[in-house]
Amino acid sequence: MNSPRPARLRVGVVGVGRVGAAVGVALARAEHEIVAASAVSDLSLRRAERMLPGVPIVAPDEVLAVSDFVLVAVPDDALRPLIAGLAATDSWREGQIAAHTSGAQGIGVLDPAAARGVLALALHPVMTFTGRPEDADRLDGATWGVTALPELRPVAESLVVEMGGEPVWVPESARPLYHAALTIGANHLVTLVNDALSLLGGAGIDEPSRLLAPLLSAALDNVLRLGDAALTGPVSRGDVATLNAHLSSLSTSAPDVLASYVAMSRRTAERAHGSGRLSQAQLAAVLEVLVEEPK
C-alpha cells in the first residue's frame, strides 16, 4: 500500500453497536481521538462504557459537531433516514469525512451528506461480531470492503490499513451482490452448523461439537482450496437410497430442518452436476427424491 497516512482525526461514532464499538476501538488504537459517541439502548450504553471508556455520549448531531471523521454504524434500514435527517438539520460540515460500516450499501446512501461537502466512504469490515471486547482484536488482519469516489480511495484504504486491515475494492454497483455472498457464507453457516449440532443432540450424541469441529474445519479448508472438487456425501455420489433415508428421518424427527435440507441438497446437486460429478440422469434422479414430502 502506498496510500498517504491520514492526519490524526477527531472521530465521532454514531451507533455503538457491535460493529461501531469494535471499529471505534480500532481507530483509537490507530491513534485517532474518539471525541464523542451516540448510543441509545442500555446494552449500547454499557458497551460504550466498557469499550470506549470516558467518551462522552451525546446525540448524533452533537457527535457531528465535534468530529472530523464520523463513523456511522447503525442498522441498514436506519442508515438512509439517519443520514438524511442529519442533513436536513444542517449537521454535516463541508470537508468532514463520513464512513458507514454497512456491507449492503455503497456511498450512494451518503448522498445527502455529500451534497453538503462531506467526503463519503463505505468501509465494511468482513468479520463477524459478538459484542465482546475481543471483537476489536479480530479486526487485526481482517479484510474490509471499501467503496469511495476514485479520488478518495487512498484515504479510505489508508484508514483500513491503519486499523490493521486489508482493503478490498468493491464497486458501488456490486455492493448488494457482495453482501449477499458474505451473508450466505457467514450467517447461513451459523444456521447450518447449529442445525447439525441440534440433530446430533437429538440422536443422543454427547458433545456433538467434538464430531463436527474437525469435519467442518476440513470441509472449509477443502472448499477454499479446491472449490467444487471438495464436494462429498450422498448428493454428490447420486446416492438416492441414502437421501430417502435422510428425508424420512428428518420428516419424523426434525421437520423444521427438512425444508432447508432439501433446498441445500438441491443446490448441491446442481453444483455437482455443473462440475461434472453427476451425470444428467443422476441429477434428475436426485432432484426427483429431494422434495419436502418424502416418498
Side-chain angles (χ1 to χ4, degrees), residues 35 81 118 126 195:
V35 294
V118 171
V126 185
D195 277 348

Side-chain angles (χ1 to χ4, degrees), residues 72 78-88 92 98 100 109-114:
V72 185
L79 183 56
R80 188 175 298 275
L82 174 65
I83 300 300
L86 290 169
W92 295 107
H100 71 72
V109 73
L110 296 171
D111 280 350

Side-chain angles (χ1 to χ4, degrees), residues 211-231:
L211 276 72
L212 281 183
L215 176 65
L216 296 180
S217 295
L220 179 59
D221 176 66
N222 286 343
V223 70
L224 291 176
R225 290 187 299 108
L226 306 173
D228 283 324
L231 284 172

Side-chain angles (χ1 to χ4, degrees), residues 142-161:
T143 54
W144 294 63
V146 172
T147 303
L149 292 175
E151 60 268 28
L152 295 178
R153 180 172 177 174
V155 175
E157 293 181 337
S158 186
L159 283 166
V160 169
V161 171

Side-chain angles (χ1 to χ4, degrees), residues 22-65:
V23 177
V25 171
L27 286 166
R29 290 176 177 176
E31 301 179 8
H32 296 290
E33 181 185 4
I34 312 301
V35 294
S38 68
V40 177
S41 70
D42 290 341
L43 183 60
S44 292
L45 289 168
R46 291 195 298 272
R47 185 180 294 117
E49 182 178 356
R50 183 175 68 251
M51 297 180 69
L52 302 174
V55 174
I57 304 301
V58 297
D61 60 330
E62 295 177 81
V63 173
L64 271 60

Side-chain angles (χ1 to χ4, degrees), residues 19 23 69-74 76 79-80 83 92 96-111 113-114 118-126 143-161 163 166-176 178-179 182:
V19 180
V23 177
F69 173 32
V70 182
L71 177 74
V72 185
V74 298
D76 289 356
L79 183 56
R80 188 175 298 275
I83 300 300
W92 295 107
Q96 222 169 17
I97 300 172
H100 71 72
T101 59
S102 168
Q105 301 281 356
I107 57 173
V109 73
L110 296 171
D111 280 350
V118 171
L119 311 180
L121 313 175
L123 306 177
H124 174 243
V126 185
T143 54
W144 294 63
V146 172
T147 303
L149 292 175
E151 60 268 28
L152 295 178
R153 180 172 177 174
V155 175
E157 293 181 337
S158 186
L159 283 166
V160 169
V161 171
M163 289 185 283
E166 179 183 351
V168 175
W169 184 252
V170 182
E172 176 81 3
S173 62
R175 294 290 289 207
Y178 151 84
H179 193 243
L182 298 179

Side-chain angles (χ1 to χ4, degrees), residues 193-282:
V193 174
N194 275 326
D195 277 348
L197 290 168
S198 297
L199 292 173
L200 286 170
I205 305 298
D206 292 331
E207 299 183 55
S209 60
R210 292 178 59 193
L211 276 72
L212 281 183
L215 176 65
L216 296 180
S217 295
L220 179 59
D221 176 66
N222 286 343
V223 70
L224 291 176
R225 290 187 299 108
L226 306 173
D228 283 324
L231 284 172
T232 63
V235 171
S236 68
R237 296 191 300 266
D239 191 341
V240 171
T242 298
L243 292 174
N244 268 322
H246 288 180
L247 295 170
S248 178
S249 179
L250 289 172
S251 66
T252 301
S253 302
D256 53 327
V257 180
L258 183 59
S260 61
Y261 179 91
V262 168
M264 286 302 300
S265 294
R266 292 181 71 89
R267 182 62 187 136
T268 301
E270 291 166 354
R271 293 203 69 99
H273 174 62
S275 60
R277 299 178 68 86
L278 287 181
S279 67
Q280 185 62 45
Q282 288 174 311

